[in-house]
Amino acid sequence: MTEELPEDFAWGNSSSSMQTEGAFDIGGKGKSVYDVRPATKDASDWHDAIDEYHRYNEDFDLMAKEGMNFYRFQISWSRVNPMGDGDFNEEGIKFYDKLITALLKRGITPMICLYHFDMPLHLAEEYNGFLSRHVVDAFVRYGIEMVKRFGDRVKYWITFNERNLYHTSGAFRIAGYLKGDKTIDELYQISHHVMLAHAGVVNYIHEQTDCKTGGMLAYSEVYPASPKPKDILYARQINEFLNRDLLDVFVFGRYSKEVLTFVKNHQIDMDYQLNDDEALVKVTSDFIAFSYYRSDTISSDLVPEGTIPNYYLDKGVKKNPYLKSSEFGWQIDPLGFRDILTKVYNEYGVPMFPIENGIGLREEFDGSEIQDDERIEYHREHIQAMKDAIFEDGVEVIGYLGWGLIDIPSSSGNMDKHYGTVYVNRTNHDLKDMKRVPKKSYWWLQHVIKTNGSDLSDLK
């Protein structure tokens, strides 16, 4: 007998507000750090995105027709609170109320993400983003208000997209940090402050509502480049510092002993205060959410002596000769996806929820259907790897959400990097008509969802 996924298995899409909404200066929205970033040769600005602010009904119809029953979207902090720490904007809140109503009308379960790197500009300029505890307090106030407004209808929440990126060199870009020397102390302070902000919201959710929430990581499998013991050590340390340290908080309410020992031995000031312990020890997770796109391979020979584990991947990544790469250089590794699902579940015993997965491809629309067989193969292999984790390894998985399954600008603002099963007719510097056109993968995924993942074969 063929194993079958649960009837309520979540199939859907994930996106962020700045990559979808547009409408950057209407509806009472305040400026975010993205709104002031200019277009470049290889990237658009962030003013229009795919104009989902005006076209969400069209996009939700496409999701529903594809069979999706789940959509993870983001509330723009500066749309509902223009200054970030000031008065709430009822017009912005009404927009998300309409979004939620439209999703539920189509039988699509909403999941809200509260922060996807788009810090309100005022908080970045005045307080240097999450380096300041004032911004932590402002985020908790904003997050709790959104839960109060929407928690009766939205039962799934995540606070921060890809929480572990705040423990890497990218933290300064995504945390609203605009000025300073980017010291190691500041890196650890930002990471700790973001965890306090997470704790403030999730503790409220668990104490005051029946909603579900959990931590979210950007999880890449990291292999040692060789059997060299130092390569193996570095791969393990990367997982400990960037993943397990935070999973320990999400599930057990405490940081990794190894990481805290490192902080002490290197005299790192992470602004850890005694009263913060009380907030963290109450933290629990109803699920572990994560994004997965690729795996990396670490060579200790490439890492300068004295580099902290948080920065190993900045210098030490080596191409894995056993894996294929996408045209953007990301190495495709479905088995790594299965391994993450299984090892995290085995260790923490919390349901797993992959909420981003996909491949970026260069595509052009010439009037005929885009034949994106490479995307179909990517999703087929990853869905099969997920099923292997469920049926062969015993992992409890809530669902499978693809990333940006209606084309959106990439995280760098590049419209040439397409992730969607639906093409959006615009380029980096020409908005055109933004017409939505299903690709071959749209019809394939529609069939996969219709069979609840039991048939991953090509369409006849």
Side-chain angles (χ1 to χ4, degrees):
M1 180 178 176
T2 303
E3 299 275 12
E4 294 185 357
L5 294 170
E7 289 184 7
D8 61 350
F9 193 80
W11 295 98
N13 186 24
S14 286
S15 67
S16 75
S17 62
M18 73 276 191
Q19 290 167 280
T20 55
E21 288 176 10
F24 80 106
D25 61 352
I26 67 174
K29 183 183 180 298
K31 288 183 179 179
S32 80
V33 292
Y34 275 80
D35 295 329
V36 297
R37 292 181 183 174
T40 65
K41 176 178 176 293
D42 299 313
S44 62
D45 62 30
W46 298 91
H47 293 175
D48 300 286
I50 61 168
D51 195 30
E52 193 165 285
Y53 187 86
H54 298 108
R55 304 179 72 148
Y56 64 87
N57 277 309
E58 179 182 0
D59 289 344
F60 293 174
D61 282 344
L62 283 163
M63 293 181 201
K65 185 176 180 181
E66 199 167 12
M68 292 181 185
N69 58 14
F70 211 98
Y71 180 44
R72 168 222 163 179
F73 66 94
Q74 181 216 347
I75 289 177
S76 167
W77 187 352
S78 56
R79 189 176 294 284
V80 298
N81 194 304
M83 301 295 284
D85 57 357
D87 294 336
F88 286 95
N89 172 31
E90 294 301 326
E91 188 173 356
I93 292 172
K94 184 178 179 181
F95 168 70
Y96 294 108
D97 181 77
K98 291 190 296 184
L99 247 63
I100 293 164
T101 298
L103 288 167
L104 293 173
K105 180 181 177 181
R106 292 166 173 81
I108 300 173
T109 297
M111 169 189 255
I112 286 178
C113 173
L114 291 168
Y115 189 80
H116 197 120
F117 316 149
D118 58 339
M119 173 70 63
L121 185 62
H122 164 70
L123 296 181
E125 291 179 335
E126 292 296 319
Y127 299 98
N128 225 9
F130 278 107
L131 191 61
S132 167
R133 284 178 174 266
H134 174 84
V135 175
V136 173
D137 294 339
F139 177 84
V140 173
R141 173 176 174 259
Y142 146 67
I144 289 175
E145 183 67 18
M146 294 304 99
V147 174
K148 288 179 177 177
R149 298 290 188 121
F150 302 129
D152 60 332
R153 292 179 294 157
V154 178
K155 299 303 179 181
Y156 289 86
W157 295 78
I158 54 173
T159 53
F160 290 90
N161 180 69
E162 299 180 326
R163 166 66 187 83
N164 52 343
L165 296 187
Y166 299 88
H167 221 30
T168 70
S169 57
F172 302 100
R173 177 180 57 84
I174 63 178
Y177 177 100
L178 298 182
K179 50 187 180 290
D181 296 327
K182 301 181 180 178
T183 67
I184 294 173
D185 283 352
E186 289 177 327
L187 172 71
Y188 274 77
Q189 287 166 20
I190 287 171
S191 180
H192 182 52
H193 289 169
V194 169
M195 189 58 85
L196 291 177
H198 169 82
V201 176
V202 301
N203 288 343
Y204 173 84
I205 288 174
H206 284 139
E207 292 166 5
Q208 302 295 329
T209 78
D210 63 351
C211 299
K212 296 182 181 298
T213 183
M216 191 236 178
L217 301 179
Y219 222 128
S220 295
E221 184 83 325
V222 177
Y223 302 113
S226 76
K228 184 178 180 179
K230 198 171 183 181
D231 287 354
I232 295 169
L233 171 69
Y234 276 31
R236 188 198 61 75
Q237 286 180 318
I238 289 168
N239 191 45
E240 186 69 23
F241 278 69
L242 300 188
N243 301 315
R244 289 192 69 262
D245 180 43
L246 306 175
L247 290 168
D248 280 357
V249 180
F250 292 153
V251 180
F252 304 133
R254 55 167 170 74
Y255 288 119
S256 153
K257 185 67 178 294
E258 179 181 353
V259 175
L260 289 179
T261 302
F262 179 88
V263 167
K264 179 181 179 181
N265 289 345
H266 290 79
Q267 298 180 315
I268 296 171
D269 177 11
M270 60 183 287
D271 192 32
Y272 194 86
Q273 299 177 13
L274 184 61
N275 62 332
D276 296 343
D277 291 341
E278 298 174 6
L280 292 179
V281 296
K282 293 190 291 184
V283 169
T284 58
S285 287
D286 301 300
F287 54 81
I288 296 299
F290 68 102
S291 62
Y292 181 84
Y293 295 95
R294 68 185 196 272
S295 63
D296 292 312
T297 303
I298 187 73
S299 170
S300 60
D301 292 339
L302 301 176
V303 180
E305 202 64 38
T307 301
I308 63 173
N310 310 71
Y311 293 166
Y312 285 170
L313 289 171
D314 292 348
K315 301 291 186 180
V317 172
K318 189 173 184 179
K319 189 171 183 180
N320 190 328
Y322 300 101
L323 296 174
K324 297 184 298 182
S325 296
S326 76
E327 55 193 309
F328 288 92
W330 289 16
Q331 297 213 268
I332 300 168
D333 184 10
L335 193 58
F337 184 42
R338 174 182 174 179
D339 188 57
I340 288 168
L341 284 164
T342 302
K343 71 183 177 185
V344 175
Y345 183 76
N346 284 350
E347 185 162 2
Y348 293 94
V350 176
M352 301 295 291
F353 200 171
I355 61 173
E356 288 186 27
N357 182 237
I359 184 171
L361 303 172
R362 296 186 189 275
E363 295 166 334
E364 293 184 6
F365 179 58
D366 61 6
S368 57
E369 183 179 77
I370 292 172
Q371 302 296 298
D372 55 339
D373 295 289
E374 190 175 351
R375 178 172 293 106
I376 292 172
E377 185 64 16
Y378 179 95
H379 283 287
R380 175 192 290 119
E381 291 180 348
H382 284 77
I383 293 171
Q384 183 59 57
M386 175 189 68
K387 289 171 63 178
D388 291 342
I390 295 169
F391 299 128
E392 296 185 26
D393 304 339
V395 180
E396 183 179 354
V397 179
I398 294 172
Y400 174 85
L401 309 186
W403 171 252
L405 294 181
I406 297 174
D407 280 346
I408 57 179
S410 74
S411 58
S412 65
N414 187 2
M415 272 305 296
D416 294 335
K417 191 177 186 182
H418 297 261
Y419 280 90
T421 62
V422 175
Y423 183 85
V424 175
N425 190 36
R426 64 153 293 185
T427 66
N428 281 328
H429 306 118
D430 185 355
L431 296 178
K432 298 186 177 181
D433 59 4
M434 295 205 203
K435 182 180 179 181
R436 276 65 163 156
V437 185
K439 307 172 189 177
K440 181 179 180 181
S441 60
Y442 179 90
W443 308 110
W444 175 82
L445 186 57
Q446 181 190 65
H447 178 71
V448 169
I449 296 173
K450 185 177 181 180
T451 67
N452 199 23
S454 65
D455 185 2
L456 306 181
S457 61
D458 288 327
L459 294 176
K460 300 297 188 289

